[in-house]
Amino acid sequence: MTYLKYAVLAGALTLAATVTSLHQAHAAQCESETFEEAKYVVCTLEPGKADLRLFWKNADGAPYRAFSSLAEAVRAKGRTLAFAVNAGMYRADFSPMGLYVENAREMKPANTTEAESSAGQVPNFYRKPNGVFFLGEAGAGILPTEEFLKRRPKVRFATQSGPMLVIADKLNPIFIVGSPDRTRRSGVGVCEHGAVRFAISEYGVNFHDFARLFRDHLKCPDALFLDGGRGVGLYNPAMGRNDRSWHGGYGPIFGLVE
């Protein structure tokens, strides 16, 4: 091989590796981070450059329930599941608690029920305001449920969960500083330049501290709680993570397809 041909080939391989590296960096970047002595995994995606979707049921109409089941279904179509997290709270049959839109089809309507407290506790989904994360033509957004229903933006994907963590750069006022209610938590924020950031706490944190992670550390003016306790989970082969839900499986799932 001549020197010129070798140089051209080497340059082409370098360019291909660079393009692949940039694509992976744009698609999803998951890192371990610490905020005020609490440890988190934070994954950042850019919707314009990342194929983020919502999944619930497989081709047979049954919930995927496990990240590995979803990964196999994506692989069967010649693609790769690079990242996944649970996409909000769900019922015992793994159906979404509230609004769920997949590929522009509303599969579950918005839930505007006013829940009564049980033993002085209102279930997290019903703590006000709850909200909707959505992906549409203009990118990603998070709105309180009532505001979303007023605007009715055109969306391709949407999931309702609650409570809202951050609303227009302000913490949800229902949160208590120093609350002893500490558990593992997962959430999603729409942040600077439209980036979407998912965060999962590795240990127990309260709502106030978790909300401050999104507003003060991740710079997300809007953020939504997804789930807590045994329902928290992350799929990221690059980090060796394929978590399971101790509720018997997951309901709706966020998945990044490559």
Side-chain angles (χ1 to χ4, degrees):
M1 181 182 292
T2 67
Y3 175 79
L4 178 59
K5 288 182 178 179
Y6 177 83
V8 171
L9 177 59
L13 291 174
T14 300
L15 177 61
T18 301
V19 170
T20 300
S21 176
L22 285 173
H23 171 73
Q24 291 174 342
H26 285 148
Q29 183 176 0
C30 295
E31 298 178 329
S32 296
E33 298 193 24
T34 300
F35 176 63
E36 296 183 342
E37 300 183 358
K39 296 185 182 298
Y40 302 89
V41 174
V42 176
C43 299
T44 301
L45 293 77
E46 297 181 45
K49 300 174 181 177
D51 190 359
L52 179 64
R53 308 180 189 180
L54 279 166
F55 298 89
W56 173 22
K57 295 180 178 181
N58 61 25
D60 296 325
Y64 285 103
R65 294 177 56 176
F67 294 139
S68 54
S69 297
L70 176 57
E72 290 173 7
V74 172
R75 191 180 305 115
K77 295 184 178 181
R79 305 292 295 276
T80 299
L81 183 69
F83 159 83
V85 294
N86 58 329
M89 282 157 274
Y90 46 94
R91 302 182 187 278
D93 63 356
F94 307 103
S95 63
M97 287 284 293
L99 178 70
Y100 182 82
V101 178
E102 185 177 319
N103 291 320
R105 177 177 165 229
E106 184 178 296
M107 299 173 70
K108 282 285 185 177
N111 185 340
T112 58
T113 302
E114 296 285 342
E116 295 183 3
S117 64
S118 175
Q121 293 286 333
V122 174
N124 286 329
F125 180 89
Y126 298 102
R127 298 179 72 179
K128 300 298 184 181
N130 61 21
V132 176
F133 172 93
F134 58 92
L135 287 168
E137 295 177 355
I142 297 174
L143 288 170
T145 300
E146 291 185 3
E147 186 67 23
F148 179 89
L149 294 177
K150 286 179 182 177
R151 297 190 191 184
R152 289 285 180 180
K154 186 177 180 180
V155 301
R156 185 181 176 200
F157 295 102
T159 182
Q160 182 184 4
S161 192
M164 290 284 293
L165 297 170
V166 186
I167 311 161
D169 215 30
K170 295 183 178 178
L171 302 185
N172 190 328
I174 67 174
F175 300 150
I176 301 170
V177 177
S179 170
D181 179 16
R182 305 173 71 86
T183 188
R184 292 187 67 215
R185 303 187 189 276
S186 64
V188 60
V190 176
C191 316
E192 293 179 317
H193 310 299
V196 176
R197 292 194 169 100
F198 294 91
I200 291 178
S201 67
E202 296 287 60
Y203 303 100
V205 295
N206 62 38
F207 270 119
H208 188 271
D209 294 345
F210 194 48
R212 287 193 58 246
L213 167 79
F214 280 97
R215 187 191 66 177
D216 301 341
H217 182 63
L218 302 180
K219 307 304 179 185
C220 307
D222 297 287
L224 179 67
F225 180 64
L226 293 174
D227 211 341
R230 298 185 298 173
V232 173
L234 168 68
Y235 176 86
N236 186 351
M239 298 184 77
R241 294 285 292 266
N242 183 13
D243 300 348
R244 60 180 293 185
S245 168
W246 295 97
H247 294 302
Y250 297 106
I253 296 172
F254 281 111
L256 173 66
V257 177
E258 294 181 344

